[in-house]
Amino acid sequence: MAMASRREHQEEGEDYGDAATMGELRRLQAGYAWADVASLEPGAAAARVRVRGAAQAVRAVGRRVAFLVLRQGAATVQCVVAGGDGGMARFAAGLSRESVVDVAGVVSLPREPVRGATQQVEIQVEKLHCVSRAVPNLPIGVDDAARSEEDVARAKAAGEQLVHVGQDKRLDYRVIDLRTAANQAIFRVQCQVENIFRQVLLSEGFVGIHTPKLIGGSSEGGAAVFKLDYNGQPACLAQSPQLHKQMAVCGGFGRVFEVGPVFRAEDSNTHRHLCEFVGLDVEMALKDDYSEASKNLSFLRSESTVCLGTKLFASHGRDFVWQVCDLVDRLFVAMFDHLNKNCAMELEAIQRQYPFKPLKARLVRFRYWIAFRLTFSYMYLATTLRLDYDQGIRMLHEAGVHVDPMGDLNTEAEKKLGDLVRDKYGTEFYMLCRYPSAVRPFYTMPCSEDPRYSCSFDVFVRGEEIISGAQRVHVPELLEAQAAARGIDVATIASYIDAFRYGAPPHGGFGVGLERVVMLFCGLGNIRKTSLFPRDPKRLAP
Amino acid sequence: MAMASRREHQEEGEDYGDAATMGELRRLQAGYAWADVASLEPGAAAARVRVRGAAQAVRAVGRRVAFLVLRQGAATVQCVVAGGDGGMARFAAGLSRESVVDVAGVVSLPREPVRGATQQVEIQVEKLHCVSRAVPNLPIGVDDAARSEEDVARAKAAGEQLVHVGQDKRLDYRVIDLRTAANQAIFRVQCQVENIFRQVLLSEGFVGIHTPKLIGGSSEGGAAVFKLDYNGQPACLAQSPQLHKQMAVCGGFGRVFEVGPVFRAEDSNTHRHLCEFVGLDVEMALKDDYSEASKNLSFLRSESTVCLGTKLFASHGRDFVWQVCDLVDRLFVAMFDHLNKNCAMELEAIQRQYPFKPLKARLVRFRYWIAFRLTFSYMYLATTLRLDYDQGIRMLHEAGVHVDPMGDLNTEAEKKLGDLVRDKYGTEFYMLCRYPSAVRPFYTMPCSEDPRYSCSFDVFVRGEEIISGAQRVHVPELLEAQAAARGIDVATIASYIDAFRYGAPPHGGFGVGLERVVMLFCGLGNIRKTSLFPRDPKRLAP
């Protein structure tokens, strides 16, 4: 182990002091290359490195040796501070937890495996510097926040009392809470979900747009809207980009998507509602039987009435809304595949703190016949399970749960149906189609053969809704009538309704809650865990 | 040309009528493959295709022939409706402009080049169907909205009166206005700008985040904030993600970015202010002389004092904010390259309606020495011009424009400086660094050697600011003092300031206005042209 002279210790063993207040950093560690903690593998042994990280744990051994665990993102490495007269070790021992620290030293292989750090090497510290000193008494500890409920319970059973940090306290001190391995992983997974969403859509010719969040009327009616004064005009925050994304389609952008905040002033204190969340929205012009692939599919559908619910969306290739469902299929199959393949480390980190069973997203395979070299052969086609609302109601009925067949499903019934579907079809990811018109927004297209039902669908993951979609009404007279029937002041959405008077293609789309996708994919049980700084009816800070 | 029987004409020559109100489309055009207008090249001659588009122009020739120009996005194709007893031609002639129409027919090569359509083939129509009928008197015509001011002036000089649609009327009927080729291009370019921004950052290990738009305090102080009631608590809309993106860095995400709406209640009725726009935001932890490449660069800088303004950010490798500037460099060089290479068609379409000179974004090339095989050689390094604020003031001074050297530059002075820089350095894209501390927000790090100046920069395109960036204060005491000195109630941002008490790395970042980037890259002159549904002090609709 390299030794450092007493003079050096004294010089570097000091905090920045006043200089820090001016953003100054002394340049003392030349000759060492900056390294990421995650990159410190046994192959790096003997390298001279510099690492900046948070002092996650500090432990003094006698007066001359200290162990310092440095954390960067979710990776941690043990640093050994020793040698000389012990000045640097004492300085290390005096570091408050979570202080930001620079170390320079040599990577070494420990004699025994390191416990309490993710990396299997150590750094023999030659220089040590505190960049930002944390207060000595942190409101919550990162290790306490990182503990699983199981660990707390296990310790309790063994007679030991471990600190458990409750949800509210975590959120009050979110800046510390976010440093746990699970949280570092959750928001990286979230970033990937958004990224795949964008990539798939861009590859299919969609244009990413941004619609205004400040609007005149209330976008979807109802009371759950934040109101404000807009330079003397009454305004509100958009409850969804619904109206404007449809107007973009009418504006000649055939296929659009948007990622942006959505505001709901609902007083819903549940595990799955937020007052502000991130909406992933899609809207696209629809044509009848638009491709050969879809023709095969619609042939197939007429063969398999049960699972695919063919009857629902008219049987003669008029199933416009299927095109939207097909896109949902492609998007989410790509997303689940990507997460399982490329985010294994992140999912494992989430698992450690919040154990969950991997999502059962079994695709339903159908055999269909094709003509091949003058003989007939068959192929399999994989698609997400699609049930019709009536079927869902029937399944619930048979299980003894009685719900109004023309009403909406409550959270409990949705959960129950999710269980029934999982048991019967082996999947926790499915679509429920053809909702009663009465329980859908005014802009939803009614079914042609029975207007009591609508060309709409919801997508469920683990028995909870994450996507809502439909074909929209592109006929202004019908739109006006449906809005008025729901008590919406048509004058406040005049420019929206007028958009369909200038030539409007049939179209449909859907909206996804980003936080819900991550929550349900990872079985996290509370949507506040997947919002960086959540906003619920009671929380407006930090 | 294929002929259709009288019976067929009667059946298909009808509008959907009542059936349309139920979202029904009859499936009459089997045997024709759906085609995009843009894909109809001479190679497609003799193909049987179906096309859905807007009836941009209709012209009857006698009683038996009609020409119909169908538009899809920015592409248009001429369709020839003829034959039979002229029933279909009369139906075509009766179509209102902008109605959405399906045609099925055969692609043919015209005897003479087609004028008034982008595609050089025609469709000989066999079947014709109106999907959505537009009102006969549109509030604005797409061709009128697509006309350049030059064309109107030229026609006037020739004694002809052409309709010119003013900005406000365009925006009132944005759904029609968006259908012009220029607008179709502008928002595709905008989507690409965002996309490159994301791709470059993701490739450099940044995590995309979403911070809340509903916040307790006012994010940056000042009066330009929209206030609202949040379930009984006073709240406001975030004027930027500034505070929360910094908190995300403190939360262990070393490098983050965000794309999202930004709200400003300013009563600024200018060509470059909006009350809601899309912010591209970046925040990253900074280290001193973090890589060998940057070491070369800092060596270089000390050699070239004039253009790079080395003195400014301390001379001993302490130039943290340079790392932020370097990222801006990489981002915008990638962006400009991508747009010029991959959006040529879109830029041309914009050019046709709004002529602009391509942006001069000359990189300043510096020679630097490297050791290579025991001999010394030199290489060139390309970087964006960086001037210091003092230098800018001096240039203005020398040009006879007198401004307060410790005050902010007004729009006029910025424009003038842009001209001077273009003339002297041959670039319209440059950075102005080291602004006086007094004119920057409270969270800006002052320069270590002279706190009257700050570690900050703005980036200018064509003499207008598009980016504002800086190193931030990560020392809570200094942050508190600077906030208080600017009259901000420190209690309202307590959770933000506290974030730096738990160990905080030095960091910096910047914010870009998406609409401004597109406006200035394309020299559009008014930011309302680059916002899909703009919001200014007077406009809250559509």
Side-chain angles (χ1 to χ4, degrees), chain B residues 14 23 66 87 95 185 200 222-223 243 393 406 420 439 454 463 516:
Chain B
E14 297 293 319
L95 285 170
V200 170
L243 309 192
I393 297 286
M406 298 310 280
L420 296 172
V439 304
S454 62
R516 280 198 188 173

Side-chain angles (χ1 to χ4, degrees), chain A residues 228-527:
Chain A
L228 70 151
D229 173 75
Y230 186 87
N231 302 310
Q233 296 177 63
C236 70
L237 293 176
Q239 292 163 286
S240 87
Q242 185 61 37
L243 310 194
H244 286 93
K245 72 179 178 174
Q246 285 187 256
M247 286 160 82
V249 170
C250 294
F253 299 96
R255 331 184 93 198
V256 298
F257 72 90
E258 176 165 13
V259 178
V262 163
F263 304 93
R264 304 276 166 94
E266 286 168 298
D267 193 20
S268 300
N269 293 285
T270 76
H271 75 283
R272 68 196 200 107
H273 286 94
L274 289 172
C275 292
E276 178 182 346
F277 62 90
V278 178
L280 309 177
D281 267 273
V282 167
E283 201 70 23
M284 62 200 273
L286 304 174
K287 294 173 188 159
D288 52 328
D289 107 290
Y290 61 121
S291 76
E292 291 307 303
S294 121
K295 248 190 238 171
N296 284 339
L297 206 61
S298 53
F299 162 71
L300 161 73
R301 277 166 196 154
S302 59
E303 296 300 301
S304 55
T305 44
V306 180
C307 295
L308 287 169
T310 314
K311 289 172 301 177
L312 313 177
F313 301 107
S315 47
H316 314 297
R318 295 173 195 164
D319 42 0
F320 278 29
V321 79
W322 282 116
Q323 294 167 45
V324 184
C325 295
D326 288 348
L327 176 63
V328 169
D329 251 10
R330 293 193 296 280
L331 258 175
F332 278 76
V333 167
M335 196 180 285
F336 295 159
D337 272 3
H338 177 87
L339 293 181
N340 286 326
K341 271 179 209 153
N342 302 304
C343 297
M345 229 171 59
E346 283 80 7
L347 295 176
E348 216 182 282
I350 298 170
Q351 280 277 12
R352 271 196 300 274
Q353 182 163 2
Y354 306 111
F356 67 91
K357 288 192 190 137
L359 181 69
K360 282 187 189 174
R362 198 169 75 87
L363 295 180
V364 185
R365 285 157 66 93
F366 291 99
R367 205 165 66 162
Y368 69 100
W369 292 92
I370 55 161
F372 181 65
R373 293 197 181 177
L374 296 180
T375 68
F376 279 82
S377 178
Y378 59 80
M379 284 181 69
Y380 281 99
L381 188 93
T383 184
T384 300
L385 176 65
R386 300 177 194 182
L387 291 175
D388 74 38
Y389 194 81
D390 273 352
Q391 282 175 283
I393 297 285
R394 266 201 308 279
M395 284 173 71
L396 284 169
H397 219 275
E398 283 160 16
V401 182
H402 292 276
V403 291
D404 176 4
M406 298 309 280
D408 211 352
L409 295 178
N410 61 23
T411 308
E412 211 179 324
E414 286 178 349
K415 201 88 192 165
K416 180 68 186 168
L417 183 56
D419 291 346
L420 296 172
V421 168
R422 186 195 55 223
D423 295 347
K424 182 167 180 185
Y425 298 101
T427 179
E428 294 175 303
F429 176 66
Y430 78 100
M431 301 183 188
L432 195 61
C433 308
R434 202 180 185 247
Y435 275 69
S437 293
V439 304
R440 305 298 280 198
F442 73 96
Y443 45 76
T444 311
M445 183 65 91
C447 287
S448 52
E449 82 291 359
D450 185 352
R452 293 176 309 149
Y453 290 92
S454 62
C455 298
S456 63
F457 66 93
D458 274 6
V459 180
F460 290 85
V461 171
R462 298 187 201 263
E464 294 191 38
E465 180 248 314
I466 52 161
I467 302 178
S468 206
Q471 183 180 350
R472 323 297 185 182
V473 177
H474 64 283
V475 182
E477 296 75 19
L478 179 61
L479 196 56
E480 235 169 8
Q482 293 198 167
R486 278 162 175 84
I488 293 172
D489 180 0
V490 175
T492 64
I493 51 169
S495 60
Y496 165 69
I497 292 178
D498 284 345
F500 302 99
R501 302 190 202 279
Y502 314 138
H507 61 285
F510 60 91
V512 191
L514 176 59
E515 292 86 350
R516 280 198 187 171
V517 174
V518 179
M519 168 179 85
L520 291 168
F521 185 79
C522 299
L524 282 167
N526 193 322
I527 201 155

Side-chain angles (χ1 to χ4, degrees), chain B residues 214-457:
Chain B
L214 290 167
I215 55 174
S218 62
S219 50
E220 316 216 6
V225 61
F226 287 108
K227 292 183 177 138
L228 68 152
D229 172 76
Y230 187 88
N231 302 312
Q233 295 178 62
C236 69
L237 292 176
Q239 292 163 284
S240 86
Q242 185 60 39
L243 309 192
H244 286 92
K245 71 178 179 174
Q246 286 187 256
M247 287 159 82
V249 170
C250 294
F253 299 96
R255 330 184 96 198
V256 297
F257 71 91
E258 176 166 15
V259 178
V262 163
F263 304 93
R264 302 277 165 93
E266 285 170 297
D267 193 19
S268 300
N269 293 286
T270 77
H271 75 285
R272 66 195 202 109
H273 286 94
L274 289 172
C275 291
E276 178 181 347
F277 61 90
V278 178
L280 308 177
D281 268 273
V282 167
E283 202 69 25
M284 61 199 275
L286 304 174
K287 293 173 189 160
D288 52 329
D289 106 293
Y290 61 124
S291 77
E292 292 306 304
S294 120
K295 248 189 231 170
N296 284 340
L297 206 60
S298 54
F299 160 71
L300 162 73
R301 277 166 197 154
S302 60
E303 296 297 302
S304 56
T305 45
V306 180
C307 295
L308 287 169
T310 315
K311 290 172 300 175
L312 313 178
F313 302 105
S315 47
H316 315 296
R318 294 171 194 167
D319 43 0
F320 278 29
V321 80
W322 282 117
Q323 294 167 46
V324 184
C325 295
D326 289 348
L327 176 63
V328 170
D329 251 9
R330 293 194 295 280
L331 258 175
F332 279 77
V333 167
M335 197 179 286
F336 295 158
D337 273 2
H338 177 86
L339 294 182
N340 286 323
K341 270 179 211 153
N342 301 303
C343 296
M345 229 171 61
E346 283 80 7
L347 295 176
E348 217 181 282
I350 299 171
Q351 280 277 12
R352 272 197 299 276
Q353 181 163 5
Y354 306 110
F356 67 92
K357 290 194 188 133
L359 182 68
K360 283 187 186 172
R362 198 170 75 86
L363 296 180
V364 184
R365 286 158 66 92
F366 290 100
R367 204 165 68 164
Y368 69 100
W369 293 92
I370 54 159
F372 181 67
R373 293 201 183 174
L374 295 181
T375 68
F376 278 83
S377 180
Y378 59 81
M379 283 182 69
Y380 282 97
L381 188 93
T383 184
T384 300
L385 176 65
R386 300 178 193 181
L387 291 176
D388 73 38
Y389 193 80
D390 273 351
Q391 282 174 283
I393 297 286
R394 263 202 309 278
M395 284 174 70
L396 284 169
H397 219 272
E398 284 161 16
V401 183
H402 292 276
V403 291
D404 176 4
M406 298 310 280
D408 211 350
L409 295 179
N410 60 24
T411 309
E412 211 180 323
E414 285 178 350
K415 201 85 191 169
K416 178 70 186 167
L417 184 56
D419 292 344
L420 296 172
V421 167
R422 186 194 55 220
D423 295 345
K424 183 168 180 183
Y425 298 101
T427 181
E428 294 174 301
F429 177 66
Y430 77 101
M431 302 183 186
L432 194 61
C433 310
R434 202 182 185 244
Y435 275 70
S437 293
V439 304
R440 305 297 281 196
F442 73 96
Y443 46 74
T444 311
M445 183 66 91
C447 288
S448 53
E449 82 291 358
D450 185 351
R452 291 176 310 150
Y453 291 92
S454 62
C455 298
S456 63
F457 65 94

Side-chain angles (χ1 to χ4, degrees), chain B residues 435-502:
Chain B
Y435 275 70
S437 293
V439 304
R440 305 297 281 196
F442 73 96
Y443 46 74
T444 311
M445 183 66 91
C447 288
S448 53
E449 82 291 358
D450 185 351
R452 291 176 310 150
Y453 291 92
S454 62
C455 298
S456 63
F457 65 94
D458 274 7
V459 180
F460 290 85
V461 171
R462 299 187 200 262
E464 295 190 38
E465 181 246 315
I466 52 162
I467 304 178
S468 207
Q471 184 180 348
R472 323 297 187 182
V473 177
H474 64 282
V475 182
E477 296 76 17
L478 179 60
L479 196 56
E480 235 169 10
Q482 293 199 168
R486 277 163 176 82
I488 294 171
D489 180 1
V490 175
T492 64
I493 49 169
S495 61
Y496 165 69
I497 293 178
D498 284 346
F500 303 98
R501 301 190 203 279
Y502 313 137

Side-chain angles (χ1 to χ4, degrees), chain A residues 158-295:
Chain A
E160 196 190 346
Q161 193 68 37
L162 288 181
V163 175
H164 174 71
V165 187
Q167 179 77 62
D168 260 343
K169 196 155 190 191
R170 280 171 194 283
L171 294 181
D172 287 343
Y173 301 101
R174 189 65 159 163
V175 169
I176 304 175
D177 181 44
L178 285 174
R179 299 176 188 176
T180 62
N183 276 334
Q184 289 289 312
I186 285 169
F187 293 97
R188 284 178 167 84
V189 166
Q190 192 175 81
C191 172
Q192 286 306 311
V193 168
E194 176 178 349
N195 211 34
I196 296 299
F197 176 82
R198 293 179 54 92
Q199 279 180 8
V200 170
L201 292 172
L202 287 170
S203 76
E204 297 203 9
F206 282 77
V207 180
I209 59 168
H210 293 279
T211 63
K213 304 307 154 205
L214 290 167
I215 55 175
S218 62
S219 51
E220 316 216 5
V225 59
F226 287 109
K227 290 184 178 135
L228 70 151
D229 173 75
Y230 186 87
N231 302 310
Q233 296 177 63
C236 70
L237 293 176
Q239 292 163 286
S240 87
Q242 185 61 37
L243 310 194
H244 286 93
K245 72 179 178 174
Q246 285 187 256
M247 286 160 82
V249 170
C250 294
F253 299 96
R255 331 184 93 198
V256 298
F257 72 90
E258 176 165 13
V259 178
V262 163
F263 304 93
R264 304 276 166 94
E266 286 168 298
D267 193 20
S268 300
N269 293 285
T270 76
H271 75 283
R272 68 196 200 107
H273 286 94
L274 289 172
C275 292
E276 178 182 346
F277 62 90
V278 178
L280 309 177
D281 267 273
V282 167
E283 201 70 23
M284 62 200 273
L286 304 174
K287 294 173 188 159
D288 52 328
D289 107 290
Y290 61 121
S291 76
E292 291 307 303
S294 121
K295 248 190 238 171

